[in-house]
Coordinates of all heavy atoms in Angstrom, one line a residue:
M1185 N -27.6 -12.4 49.1 CA -28.8 -13.1 48.9 C -29.9 -12.6 49.8 O -29.6 -12.1 50.9 CB -28.6 -14.6 49.3 CG -27.9 -15.4 48.2 SD -27.8 -17.1 48.6 CE -26.0 -17.2 48.6
R1186 N -31.1 -12.7 49.4 CA -32.2 -12.1 50.1 C -32.8 -13.2 51.0 O -32.9 -14.4 50.6 CB -33.3 -11.6 49.2 CG -32.8 -10.4 48.4 CD -33.9 -9.8 47.6 NE -33.4 -8.7 46.9 CZ -33.1 -8.7 45.6 NH1 -33.2 -9.8 44.9 NH2 -32.6 -7.6 45.0
D1187 N -33.3 -12.8 52.2 CA -34.0 -13.7 53.1 C -33.2 -15.0 53.5 O -33.7 -16.0 53.7 CB -35.3 -14.1 52.6 CG -36.3 -13.0 52.3 OD1 -36.2 -12.0 53.1 OD2 -37.0 -13.0 51.4
N1188 N -31.8 -14.9 53.5 CA -31.0 -16.0 53.8 C -31.3 -17.2 52.9 O -31.2 -18.3 53.3 CB -31.1 -16.4 55.3 CG -30.6 -15.3 56.1 OD1 -29.6 -14.6 55.8 ND2 -31.2 -15.1 57.3
A1189 N -31.7 -17.0 51.7 CA -32.0 -18.1 50.7 C -30.7 -18.6 50.2 O -29.7 -18.0 50.1 CB -32.8 -17.6 49.6
I1190 N -30.7 -19.9 49.9 CA -29.6 -20.6 49.3 C -30.1 -21.0 47.9 O -31.2 -21.4 47.8 CB -29.1 -21.8 50.1 CG1 -28.7 -21.4 51.5 CG2 -28.0 -22.6 49.4 CD1 -28.4 -22.6 52.4
F1191 N -29.2 -20.9 46.9 CA -29.7 -21.2 45.6 C -29.6 -22.6 45.2 O -28.5 -23.2 45.4 CB -29.0 -20.3 44.5 CG -29.4 -18.9 44.6 CD1 -28.9 -18.0 45.4 CD2 -30.5 -18.5 43.8 CE1 -29.3 -16.7 45.5 CE2 -31.0 -17.2 43.8 CZ -30.4 -16.3 44.7
D1192 N -30.6 -23.2 44.7 CA -30.6 -24.5 44.1 C -30.0 -24.4 42.8 O -30.6 -23.9 41.8 CB -32.1 -25.0 44.0 CG -32.2 -26.4 43.5 OD1 -31.2 -27.0 43.0 OD2 -33.3 -26.9 43.6
S1193 N -28.8 -25.0 42.6 CA -28.0 -24.8 41.4 C -28.7 -25.5 40.2 O -28.3 -25.3 39.1 CB -26.6 -25.3 41.6 OG -26.6 -26.6 42.0
A1194 N -29.6 -26.4 40.5 CA -30.3 -27.1 39.4 C -31.0 -26.2 38.5 O -31.1 -26.3 37.3 CB -31.2 -28.2 39.9
D1195 N -31.7 -25.2 39.1 CA -32.4 -24.2 38.3 C -32.3 -22.8 38.8 O -32.9 -21.9 38.3 CB -33.9 -24.6 38.2 CG -34.6 -24.7 39.6 OD1 -34.0 -24.2 40.6 OD2 -35.7 -25.1 39.6
L1196 N -31.4 -22.6 39.7 CA -31.1 -21.3 40.3 C -32.3 -20.5 40.9 O -32.3 -19.3 41.0 CB -30.4 -20.4 39.2 CG -29.1 -21.0 38.6 CD1 -28.6 -20.1 37.5 CD2 -28.1 -21.3 39.7
R1197 N -33.3 -21.3 41.4 CA -34.4 -20.7 42.1 C -34.0 -20.7 43.6 O -33.4 -21.6 44.1 CB -35.7 -21.5 42.0 CG -36.3 -21.4 40.7 CD -37.5 -22.3 40.7 NE -37.2 -23.6 41.1 CZ -37.9 -24.7 41.0 NH1 -39.1 -24.6 40.5 NH2 -37.5 -25.9 41.4
P1198 N -34.3 -19.6 44.3 CA -33.9 -19.6 45.7 C -34.8 -20.6 46.5 O -36.0 -20.8 46.1 CB -34.2 -18.2 46.2 CG -35.1 -17.6 45.2 CD -34.9 -18.3 43.9
F1199 N -34.3 -21.2 47.5 CA -35.1 -22.1 48.3 C -34.6 -21.9 49.8 O -33.5 -21.4 50.0 CB -35.0 -23.5 47.9 CG -33.7 -24.2 48.2 CD1 -33.5 -24.9 49.3 CD2 -32.7 -24.1 47.3 CE1 -32.3 -25.5 49.6 CE2 -31.5 -24.7 47.5 CZ -31.3 -25.4 48.7
K1200 N -35.4 -22.2 50.7 CA -35.1 -22.0 52.1 C -34.2 -23.2 52.6 O -34.4 -24.3 52.1 CB -36.4 -22.0 53.0 CG -37.2 -20.8 52.6 CD -36.5 -19.5 53.0 CE -37.4 -18.3 52.6 NZ -36.7 -17.1 52.6
P1201 N -33.3 -23.0 53.5 CA -32.5 -24.1 54.1 C -33.4 -25.1 54.6 O -34.4 -24.9 55.2 CB -31.7 -23.4 55.2 CG -31.6 -21.9 54.7 CD -32.9 -21.7 54.0
G1202 N -33.0 -26.4 54.3 CA -33.8 -27.5 54.8 C -34.8 -28.0 53.8 O -35.4 -29.1 53.9
A1203 N -35.1 -27.2 52.7 CA -36.1 -27.6 51.7 C -35.4 -28.6 50.8 O -34.2 -28.6 50.6 CB -36.5 -26.4 50.9
P1204 N -36.2 -29.5 50.2 CA -35.6 -30.5 49.3 C -35.1 -29.8 48.1 O -35.6 -28.7 47.7 CB -36.8 -31.4 48.9 CG -38.0 -30.7 49.4 CD -37.6 -29.7 50.4
T1205 N -34.1 -30.4 47.5 CA -33.5 -29.8 46.3 C -33.6 -30.8 45.1 O -33.9 -32.0 45.4 CB -32.0 -29.5 46.5 OG1 -31.3 -30.7 46.5 CG2 -31.7 -28.7 47.7
T1206 N -33.3 -30.4 43.9 CA -33.3 -31.4 42.8 C -31.9 -32.0 42.7 O -31.7 -32.7 41.7 CB -33.7 -30.7 41.5 OG1 -32.8 -29.6 41.3 CG2 -35.1 -30.2 41.6
M1207 N -30.9 -31.7 43.6 CA -29.6 -32.2 43.5 C -29.6 -33.7 43.8 O -28.7 -34.5 43.4 CB -28.6 -31.5 44.4 CG -28.4 -30.0 43.9 SD -27.6 -29.9 42.3 CE -26.0 -30.5 42.8
T1208 N -30.5 -34.2 44.6 CA -30.6 -35.6 45.0 C -32.0 -36.0 44.9 O -33.0 -35.2 45.0 CB -30.1 -35.8 46.5 OG1 -30.9 -35.0 47.3 CG2 -28.6 -35.5 46.6
D1209 N -32.2 -37.3 44.7 CA -33.6 -37.8 44.6 C -34.3 -37.9 46.0 O -35.5 -37.7 46.1 CB -33.6 -39.2 44.0 CG -33.1 -39.2 42.6 OD1 -33.3 -38.2 41.9 OD2 -32.4 -40.2 42.2
S1210 N -33.5 -38.2 47.0 CA -34.1 -38.3 48.4 C -33.0 -38.1 49.4 O -31.8 -38.2 49.0 CB -34.7 -39.7 48.6 OG -33.7 -40.7 48.5
P1211 N -33.3 -37.8 50.6 CA -32.3 -37.6 51.6 C -31.3 -38.7 51.7 O -31.7 -39.9 51.6 CB -33.1 -37.4 52.9 CG -34.4 -37.0 52.5 CD -34.7 -37.7 51.1
G1212 N -30.1 -38.4 51.9 CA -29.0 -39.5 52.0 C -28.4 -39.9 50.7 O -27.4 -40.6 50.7
N1213 N -29.0 -39.5 49.6 CA -28.4 -39.9 48.3 C -27.2 -38.9 48.0 O -27.3 -37.8 48.3 CB -29.4 -39.8 47.1 CG -30.4 -40.9 47.1 OD1 -30.2 -41.9 47.8 ND2 -31.4 -40.8 46.3
R1214 N -26.2 -39.4 47.3 CA -25.1 -38.6 46.9 C -25.5 -37.8 45.7 O -26.3 -38.2 44.9 CB -23.9 -39.5 46.6 CG -23.4 -40.4 47.7 CD -22.8 -39.6 48.8 NE -21.5 -39.1 48.3 CZ -20.7 -38.4 49.0 NH1 -20.9 -38.3 50.3 NH2 -19.6 -37.9 48.6
P1215 N -24.9 -36.6 45.6 CA -25.2 -35.8 44.4 C -24.7 -36.5 43.1 O -23.8 -37.3 43.2 CB -24.4 -34.5 44.6 CG -23.9 -34.5 46.0 CD -24.0 -35.9 46.5
P1216 N -25.4 -36.2 42.0 CA -24.9 -36.8 40.7 C -23.5 -36.3 40.4 O -23.0 -35.3 40.9 CB -25.9 -36.2 39.7 CG -26.6 -35.1 40.4 CD -26.5 -35.3 41.8
S1217 N -22.8 -37.1 39.5 CA -21.4 -36.8 39.3 C -21.2 -35.6 38.4 O -20.1 -35.0 38.4 CB -20.8 -38.0 38.6 OG -21.4 -38.3 37.4
G1218 N -22.2 -35.2 37.6 CA -22.0 -34.0 36.7 C -22.9 -32.9 37.1 O -23.7 -33.0 38.1
P1219 N -22.8 -31.8 36.4 CA -23.7 -30.7 36.7 C -25.2 -31.1 36.4 O -25.4 -32.0 35.7 CB -23.3 -29.6 35.7 CG -22.2 -30.1 34.9 CD -21.9 -31.5 35.3
P1220 N -26.1 -30.4 37.1 CA -27.5 -30.8 36.9 C -27.9 -30.7 35.4 O -27.5 -29.7 34.7 CB -28.2 -29.7 37.7 CG -27.2 -29.1 38.6 CD -25.9 -29.3 38.0
S1221 N -28.7 -31.6 35.0 CA -29.2 -31.5 33.6 C -30.1 -30.3 33.5 O -30.8 -29.9 34.4 CB -30.0 -32.8 33.3 OG -31.2 -32.8 34.1
G1222 N -30.0 -29.6 32.4 CA -30.7 -28.4 32.2 C -30.0 -27.1 32.6 O -30.5 -26.1 32.4
L1223 N -28.9 -27.3 33.3 CA -28.1 -26.1 33.7 C -27.6 -25.4 32.5 O -26.9 -26.1 31.7 CB -27.0 -26.5 34.7 CG -26.1 -25.3 35.1 CD1 -26.8 -24.3 35.9 CD2 -24.9 -25.9 35.9
V1224 N -27.8 -24.2 32.3 CA -27.3 -23.4 31.2 C -26.5 -22.3 31.7 O -27.0 -21.4 32.5 CB -28.5 -22.8 30.3 CG1 -28.0 -22.0 29.2 CG2 -29.4 -24.0 29.8
W1225 N -25.2 -22.2 31.4 CA -24.3 -21.1 31.8 C -24.7 -19.9 30.9 O -24.8 -20.1 29.7 CB -22.9 -21.6 31.6 CG -22.5 -22.7 32.5 CD1 -22.3 -24.0 32.0 CD2 -22.3 -22.7 33.9 NE1 -22.0 -24.8 33.1 CE2 -22.0 -24.0 34.2 CE3 -22.4 -21.7 34.9 CZ2 -21.7 -24.4 35.6 CZ3 -22.1 -22.1 36.2 CH2 -21.8 -23.4 36.5
R1226 N -24.8 -18.8 31.5 CA -25.2 -17.6 30.8 C -24.2 -16.5 30.9 O -23.5 -16.3 31.9 CB -26.6 -17.1 31.4 CG -27.6 -18.2 31.2 CD -29.0 -17.6 31.3 NE -30.0 -18.7 31.1 CZ -30.5 -19.0 29.9 NH1 -30.1 -18.3 28.8 NH2 -31.3 -20.0 29.8
M1227 N -24.2 -15.7 29.8 CA -23.4 -14.5 29.8 C -24.1 -13.4 30.6 O -25.3 -13.5 30.9 CB -23.2 -14.0 28.3 CG -22.7 -15.1 27.4 SD -21.0 -15.6 27.7 CE -20.2 -14.2 27.0
P1228 N -23.4 -12.2 30.9 CA -24.1 -11.2 31.7 C -25.3 -10.7 31.0 O -26.3 -10.2 31.7 CB -23.0 -10.1 31.7 CG -21.7 -10.8 31.6 CD -22.0 -12.0 30.7
D1229 N -25.5 -10.7 29.7 CA -26.7 -10.2 29.0 C -27.8 -11.3 29.0 O -28.9 -11.0 28.5 CB -26.4 -9.7 27.6 CG -25.9 -10.8 26.7 OD1 -25.9 -12.0 27.1 OD2 -25.6 -10.5 25.5
G1230 N -27.5 -12.5 29.6 CA -28.5 -13.5 29.6 C -28.5 -14.5 28.5 O -29.2 -15.6 28.6
T1231 N -27.7 -14.3 27.5 CA -27.6 -15.3 26.4 C -26.7 -16.5 26.9 O -25.8 -16.3 27.7 CB -26.9 -14.7 25.2 OG1 -25.6 -14.2 25.5 CG2 -27.8 -13.5 24.6
P1232 N -27.0 -17.7 26.4 CA -26.3 -18.8 26.8 C -24.8 -18.8 26.3 O -24.6 -18.3 25.2 CB -27.0 -20.0 26.2 CG -28.4 -19.5 25.8 CD -28.2 -18.0 25.6
V1233 N -23.9 -19.3 27.1 CA -22.5 -19.5 26.7 C -22.6 -20.6 25.6 O -23.2 -21.6 25.8 CB -21.6 -19.9 27.9 CG1 -20.2 -20.3 27.4 CG2 -21.6 -18.9 28.9
A1234 N -22.0 -20.3 24.5 CA -22.1 -21.2 23.3 C -20.8 -22.0 23.1 O -20.8 -23.1 22.5 CB -22.4 -20.4 22.1
C1235 N -19.6 -21.5 23.6 CA -18.4 -22.2 23.3 C -18.3 -23.5 24.1 O -18.4 -23.5 25.4 CB -17.2 -21.2 23.7 SG -15.6 -22.0 23.6
H1236 N -18.1 -24.6 23.5 CA -18.0 -25.9 24.1 C -16.9 -26.0 25.1 O -17.0 -26.6 26.2 CB -17.9 -27.0 23.1 CG -19.2 -27.1 22.3 ND1 -20.4 -27.7 22.8 CD2 -19.5 -26.8 21.0 CE1 -21.3 -27.6 21.9 NE2 -20.8 -27.1 20.8
E1237 N -15.7 -25.4 24.8 CA -14.6 -25.4 25.7 C -14.9 -24.7 27.0 O -14.5 -25.1 28.1 CB -13.3 -24.9 25.1 CG -12.7 -25.8 24.0 CD -12.4 -27.2 24.6 OE1 -11.7 -27.2 25.7 OE2 -12.7 -28.2 24.0
K1238 N -15.6 -23.5 26.9 CA -16.0 -22.7 28.1 C -16.9 -23.5 28.9 O -16.8 -23.6 30.2 CB -16.6 -21.4 27.7 CG -15.6 -20.4 27.1 CD -16.3 -19.1 26.7 CE -15.3 -18.1 26.1 NZ -16.0 -16.9 25.7
I1239 N -17.9 -24.1 28.3 CA -18.9 -24.9 29.0 C -18.2 -26.1 29.7 O -18.5 -26.4 30.8 CB -20.0 -25.4 28.0 CG1 -20.8 -24.2 27.5 CG2 -20.9 -26.5 28.7 CD1 -21.8 -24.5 26.4
K1240 N -17.2 -26.7 29.0 CA -16.5 -27.8 29.6 C -15.8 -27.4 30.9 O -15.8 -28.1 31.9 CB -15.5 -28.4 28.6 CG -14.7 -29.6 29.1 CD -13.7 -30.1 28.1 CE -12.8 -31.1 28.6 NZ -11.8 -31.6 27.7
V1241 N -15.1 -26.2 30.8 CA -14.4 -25.7 32.0 C -15.4 -25.4 33.1 O -15.1 -25.7 34.3 CB -13.6 -24.5 31.6 CG1 -13.0 -23.7 32.8 CG2 -12.4 -24.9 30.7
L1242 N -16.5 -24.7 32.8 CA -17.5 -24.4 33.8 C -18.0 -25.6 34.5 O -18.2 -25.7 35.7 CB -18.6 -23.5 33.2 CG -18.2 -22.1 32.8 CD1 -19.2 -21.5 31.8 CD2 -17.9 -21.2 34.0
N1243 N -18.4 -26.6 33.7 CA -18.9 -27.9 34.2 C -17.9 -28.6 35.1 O -18.2 -29.1 36.2 CB -19.4 -28.8 33.1 CG -20.7 -28.3 32.5 OD1 -21.4 -27.5 33.0 ND2 -21.0 -28.8 31.3
E1244 N -16.6 -28.6 34.7 CA -15.6 -29.3 35.5 C -15.4 -28.5 36.8 O -15.3 -29.2 37.9 CB -14.2 -29.3 34.7 CG -14.2 -30.3 33.6 CD -13.0 -30.2 32.7 OE1 -12.2 -29.3 32.9 OE2 -12.9 -31.1 31.8
N1245 N -15.4 -27.2 36.8 CA -15.3 -26.4 38.0 C -16.5 -26.7 38.9 O -16.3 -26.8 40.1 CB -15.2 -24.9 37.7 CG -13.9 -24.5 37.1 OD1 -12.9 -25.2 37.1 ND2 -13.9 -23.3 36.5
F1246 N -17.7 -26.8 38.4 CA -18.9 -27.1 39.1 C -18.7 -28.4 39.9 O -19.0 -28.5 41.1 CB -20.1 -27.1 38.2 CG -21.4 -27.4 38.9 CD1 -22.2 -26.3 39.3 CD2 -21.8 -28.7 39.2 CE1 -23.4 -26.6 40.0 CE2 -23.0 -28.9 39.8 CZ -23.8 -27.9 40.2
V1247 N -18.3 -29.4 39.1 CA -18.2 -30.8 39.7 C -17.1 -30.8 40.8 O -17.3 -31.3 41.9 CB -17.8 -31.8 38.6 CG1 -17.4 -33.2 39.2 CG2 -19.0 -32.0 37.7
E1248 N -16.0 -30.1 40.6 CA -14.9 -30.1 41.6 C -15.3 -29.3 42.8 O -15.1 -29.8 44.0 CB -13.7 -29.4 41.0 CG -12.9 -30.2 39.9 CD -11.8 -29.5 39.3 OE1 -11.3 -28.5 39.8 OE2 -11.4 -29.9 38.2
L1249 N -16.0 -28.2 42.6 CA -16.5 -27.4 43.8 C -17.5 -28.2 44.6 O -17.5 -28.2 45.8 CB -17.0 -26.1 43.4 CG -16.0 -25.0 43.0 CD1 -16.6 -23.8 42.3 CD2 -15.2 -24.6 44.2
R1250 N -18.5 -28.8 43.9 CA -19.5 -29.6 44.6 C -18.9 -30.7 45.4 O -19.3 -30.9 46.6 CB -20.5 -30.1 43.6 CG -21.6 -30.9 44.4 CD -22.7 -31.4 43.6 NE -22.2 -32.2 42.5 CZ -22.8 -32.3 41.3 NH1 -23.9 -31.7 41.1 NH2 -22.2 -33.0 40.4
Q1251 N -17.9 -31.4 44.9 CA -17.3 -32.5 45.6 C -16.5 -32.0 46.8 O -16.5 -32.5 47.9 CB -16.4 -33.3 44.7 CG -15.9 -34.6 45.4 CD -17.0 -35.5 45.9 OE1 -17.8 -35.9 45.1 NE2 -17.0 -35.8 47.2
M1252 N -15.8 -30.8 46.6 CA -15.0 -30.3 47.7 C -15.9 -29.8 48.8 O -15.7 -30.1 50.0 CB -14.2 -29.1 47.2 CG -13.1 -28.6 48.2 SD -12.1 -27.3 47.5 CE -11.5 -28.0 46.0
L1253 N -17.1 -29.2 48.5 CA -18.0 -28.7 49.5 C -18.7 -29.9 50.1 O -18.9 -29.9 51.4 CB -19.1 -27.8 48.8 CG -18.6 -26.4 48.5 CD1 -19.6 -25.7 47.6 CD2 -18.3 -25.6 49.7
Q1254 N -19.0 -31.0 49.4 CA -19.6 -32.2 50.0 C -18.7 -32.8 51.0 O -19.1 -33.1 52.1 CB -19.9 -33.2 48.9 CG -20.6 -34.5 49.4 CD -22.0 -34.2 49.9 OE1 -22.8 -33.5 49.3 NE2 -22.3 -34.8 51.1
D1255 N -17.4 -32.9 50.6 CA -16.4 -33.5 51.5 C -16.3 -32.6 52.8 O -16.2 -33.1 53.9 CB -15.0 -33.6 50.9 CG -15.0 -34.6 49.8 OD1 -16.0 -35.5 49.7 OD2 -14.1 -34.6 48.9
A1256 N -16.2 -31.3 52.6 CA -16.1 -30.4 53.8 C -17.3 -30.5 54.7 O -17.2 -30.5 55.9 CB -15.9 -29.0 53.3
L1257 N -18.5 -30.6 54.1 CA -19.7 -30.7 54.9 C -19.7 -32.0 55.7 O -20.0 -32.0 56.9 CB -21.0 -30.6 54.0 CG -22.3 -30.9 54.7 CD1 -22.6 -29.8 55.7 CD2 -23.4 -31.0 53.7
E1258 N -19.4 -33.1 55.0 CA -19.3 -34.4 55.7 C -18.3 -34.4 56.9 O -18.6 -34.9 58.0 CB -19.0 -35.5 54.7 CG -20.1 -35.8 53.8 CD -19.8 -36.8 52.7 OE1 -18.7 -37.5 52.8 OE2 -20.5 -36.9 51.7
D1259 N -17.1 -33.8 56.6 CA -16.1 -33.7 57.7 C -16.6 -32.9 58.9 O -16.5 -33.3 60.0 CB -14.8 -33.0 57.2 CG -14.0 -33.8 56.2 OD1 -14.3 -35.1 56.1 OD2 -13.1 -33.3 55.5
A1260 N -17.3 -31.7 58.6 CA -17.8 -30.9 59.6 C -18.8 -31.6 60.5 O -18.8 -31.6 61.7 CB -18.3 -29.6 59.1
V1261 N -19.8 -32.3 59.8 CA -20.8 -33.0 60.5 C -20.2 -34.2 61.3 O -20.6 -34.4 62.5 CB -21.9 -33.5 59.5 CG1 -22.9 -34.5 60.2 CG2 -22.6 -32.4 58.9
L1262 N -19.3 -34.9 60.8 CA -18.6 -36.0 61.5 C -17.8 -35.5 62.7 O -17.7 -36.2 63.7 CB -17.7 -36.8 60.6 CG -18.4 -37.7 59.6 CD1 -17.4 -38.3 58.6 CD2 -19.1 -38.8 60.3
L1263 N -17.4 -34.2 62.6 CA -16.6 -33.6 63.7 C -17.6 -33.0 64.7 O -17.1 -32.3 65.7 CB -15.6 -32.6 63.2 CG -14.5 -33.2 62.4 CD1 -13.7 -32.1 61.7 CD2 -13.6 -34.1 63.3
G1264 N -18.9 -33.1 64.5 CA -19.8 -32.6 65.5 C -20.4 -31.2 65.2 O -21.1 -30.7 66.1
C1265 N -20.1 -30.6 64.1 CA -20.6 -29.3 63.8 C -22.1 -29.3 63.4 O -22.5 -30.3 62.9 CB -19.8 -28.6 62.7 SG -18.1 -28.3 63.2
S1266 N -22.7 -28.2 63.5 CA -24.1 -28.0 63.0 C -24.1 -28.0 61.5 O -23.4 -27.1 60.9 CB -24.7 -26.7 63.6 OG -25.8 -26.3 62.9
E1267 N -24.9 -28.8 60.9 CA -25.0 -28.8 59.4 C -25.5 -27.5 59.0 O -25.0 -26.9 58.0 CB -25.9 -29.9 59.0 CG -26.1 -29.9 57.5 CD -27.1 -31.0 57.0 OE1 -27.5 -31.9 57.8 OE2 -27.5 -30.9 55.8
A1268 N -26.5 -26.9 59.6 CA -27.1 -25.7 59.2 C -26.1 -24.5 59.3 O -26.0 -23.7 58.4 CB -28.3 -25.3 60.1
Q1269 N -25.2 -24.5 60.3 CA -24.2 -23.5 60.4 C -23.2 -23.6 59.3 O -22.8 -22.7 58.7 CB -23.5 -23.5 61.8 CG -22.5 -22.4 61.9 CD -21.4 -22.6 62.9 OE1 -21.2 -23.7 63.3 NE2 -20.7 -21.6 63.2
V1270 N -22.8 -24.9 59.0 CA -21.8 -25.1 58.0 C -22.3 -24.6 56.6 O -21.6 -23.9 55.9 CB -21.3 -26.6 57.9 CG1 -20.5 -26.8 56.7 CG2 -20.6 -27.0 59.2
R1271 N -23.6 -24.9 56.4 CA -24.2 -24.5 55.1 C -24.2 -23.0 55.0 O -24.0 -22.4 54.0 CB -25.6 -25.1 54.9 CG -25.5 -26.6 54.6 CD -27.0 -27.1 54.5 NE -26.9 -28.6 54.3 CZ -26.8 -29.1 53.1 NH1 -26.7 -28.4 52.0 NH2 -26.8 -30.4 52.9
A1272 N -24.6 -22.3 56.2 CA -24.6 -20.9 56.2 C -23.3 -20.3 56.0 O -23.1 -19.3 55.3 CB -25.2 -20.4 57.5
V1273 N -22.2 -20.9 56.6 CA -20.9 -20.4 56.4 C -20.5 -20.5 54.9 O -19.9 -19.6 54.3 CB -19.9 -21.1 57.3 CG1 -18.4 -20.8 56.9 CG2 -20.1 -20.8 58.7
F1274 N -20.8 -21.6 54.3 CA -20.5 -21.8 52.9 C -21.2 -20.7 52.0 O -20.6 -20.2 51.1 CB -20.9 -23.2 52.4 CG -20.1 -24.4 52.9 CD1 -20.5 -25.6 52.7 CD2 -18.9 -24.2 53.6 CE1 -19.8 -26.7 53.2 CE2 -18.2 -25.2 54.0 CZ -18.6 -26.5 53.8
A1275 N -22.5 -20.5 52.3 CA -23.2 -19.5 51.5 C -22.6 -18.1 51.7 O -22.5 -17.4 50.7 CB -24.7 -19.5 52.0
E1276 N -22.3 -17.8 52.9 CA -21.7 -16.5 53.2 C -20.3 -16.4 52.5 O -20.0 -15.3 51.9 CB -21.5 -16.2 54.7 CG -20.9 -14.8 54.9 CD -20.9 -14.5 56.4 OE1 -21.6 -15.1 57.2 OE2 -20.1 -13.6 56.7
M1277 N -19.5 -17.4 52.5 CA -18.3 -17.4 51.8 C -18.5 -17.1 50.3 O -17.7 -16.3 49.7 CB -17.6 -18.8 51.9 CG -16.2 -18.8 51.3 SD -15.3 -20.4 51.4 CE -16.4 -21.5 52.3
I1278 N -19.5 -17.7 49.7 CA -19.8 -17.5 48.3 C -20.2 -16.0 48.1 O -19.8 -15.4 47.1 CB -20.8 -18.5 47.8 CG1 -20.2 -19.9 47.7 CG2 -21.4 -18.1 46.4 CD1 -21.2 -21.0 47.5
E1279 N -21.0 -15.5 49.0 CA -21.5 -14.1 48.8 C -20.3 -13.2 48.9 O -20.4 -12.1 48.3 CB -22.5 -13.8 50.0 CG -23.9 -14.3 49.7 CD -24.5 -13.6 48.5 OE1 -24.4 -12.4 48.4 OE2 -25.0 -14.4 47.7
R1280 N -19.3 -13.5 49.6 CA -18.1 -12.6 49.8 C -17.1 -12.7 48.7 O -16.1 -12.0 48.8 CB -17.5 -12.8 51.2 CG -18.4 -12.3 52.3 CD -17.8 -12.6 53.7 NE -18.7 -12.1 54.7 CZ -18.3 -11.3 55.7 NH1 -17.0 -10.9 55.7 NH2 -19.1 -10.9 56.6
L1281 N -17.2 -13.6 47.8 CA -16.2 -13.7 46.7 C -16.2 -12.5 45.9 O -17.2 -11.8 45.7 CB -16.6 -14.9 45.8 CG -16.4 -16.3 46.4 CD1 -17.0 -17.3 45.4 CD2 -15.0 -16.6 46.8
E1282 N -15.0 -12.0 45.5 CA -14.9 -10.8 44.8 C -14.6 -11.1 43.3 O -13.8 -12.0 43.0 CB -13.7 -10.0 45.4 CG -14.0 -9.5 46.8 CD -12.9 -8.6 47.3 OE1 -12.1 -8.1 46.5 OE2 -12.8 -8.5 48.6
N1283 N -15.2 -10.3 42.5 CA -15.0 -10.5 41.0 C -13.9 -9.5 40.6 O -14.2 -8.3 40.6 CB -16.3 -10.2 40.3 CG -16.1 -10.2 38.8 OD1 -15.0 -10.4 38.3 ND2 -17.1 -9.9 38.0
P1284 N -12.7 -9.9 40.4 CA -11.6 -9.0 40.0 C -11.8 -8.4 38.6 O -11.0 -7.5 38.3 CB -10.3 -9.8 40.1 CG -10.8 -11.2 39.8 CD -12.2 -11.3 40.4
Y1285 N -12.7 -8.9 37.9 CA -12.9 -8.4 36.5 C -14.1 -7.5 36.3 O -14.3 -7.0 35.2 CB -13.1 -9.6 35.5 CG -12.0 -10.6 35.7 CD1 -12.2 -11.8 36.3 CD2 -10.7 -10.3 35.2 CE1 -11.1 -12.8 36.5 CE2 -9.6 -11.2 35.4 CZ -9.9 -12.4 36.0 OH -8.9 -13.3 36.2
R1286 N -14.7 -7.2 37.4 CA -15.9 -6.3 37.4 C -15.4 -4.9 36.9 O -14.4 -4.4 37.4 CB -16.5 -6.2 38.7 CG -17.8 -5.2 38.7 CD -18.5 -5.3 40.0 NE -19.2 -6.6 40.1 CZ -19.4 -7.3 41.2 NH1 -19.0 -6.8 42.3 NH2 -20.1 -8.4 41.1
E1287 N -16.1 -4.3 36.0 CA -15.8 -3.0 35.5 C -16.1 -2.0 36.6 O -17.1 -2.1 37.3 CB -16.5 -2.7 34.2 CG -16.1 -3.6 33.1 CD -16.8 -3.2 31.8 OE1 -17.2 -2.1 31.7 OE2 -16.8 -4.1 30.9
A1288 N -15.3 -0.9 36.6 CA -15.6 0.2 37.6 C -16.9 0.8 37.3 O -17.3 1.0 36.2 CB -14.5 1.3 37.5
E1289 N -17.6 1.0 38.4 CA -19.0 1.6 38.3 C -19.0 3.1 38.5 O -18.2 3.7 39.1 CB -19.9 1.0 39.4 CG -20.0 -0.5 39.2 CD -20.9 -1.2 40.2 OE1 -21.6 -0.4 41.0 OE2 -20.9 -2.4 40.3

């Protein structure tokens, strides 16, 4: 990611840490239970994923990951960790994920 930006998954625009997101209406609100409205999963060529089963799996994964990250953030903050550091660690973890299906370049 450039300039240490974190992506707002609602529309995939980069935003700076601490900036408001569309994931909640106001500070302190819990994230919605499903993926953000308007989120369109895309193929590598930019076309939308059309298969309903694929979209269902992607949306379920999104919800599970968001809840797991929310729980981990809350635990870390309750244990006295810096929220900013925890968010940065999560972002770096995502950046370091490897795609085992990437074709050789």
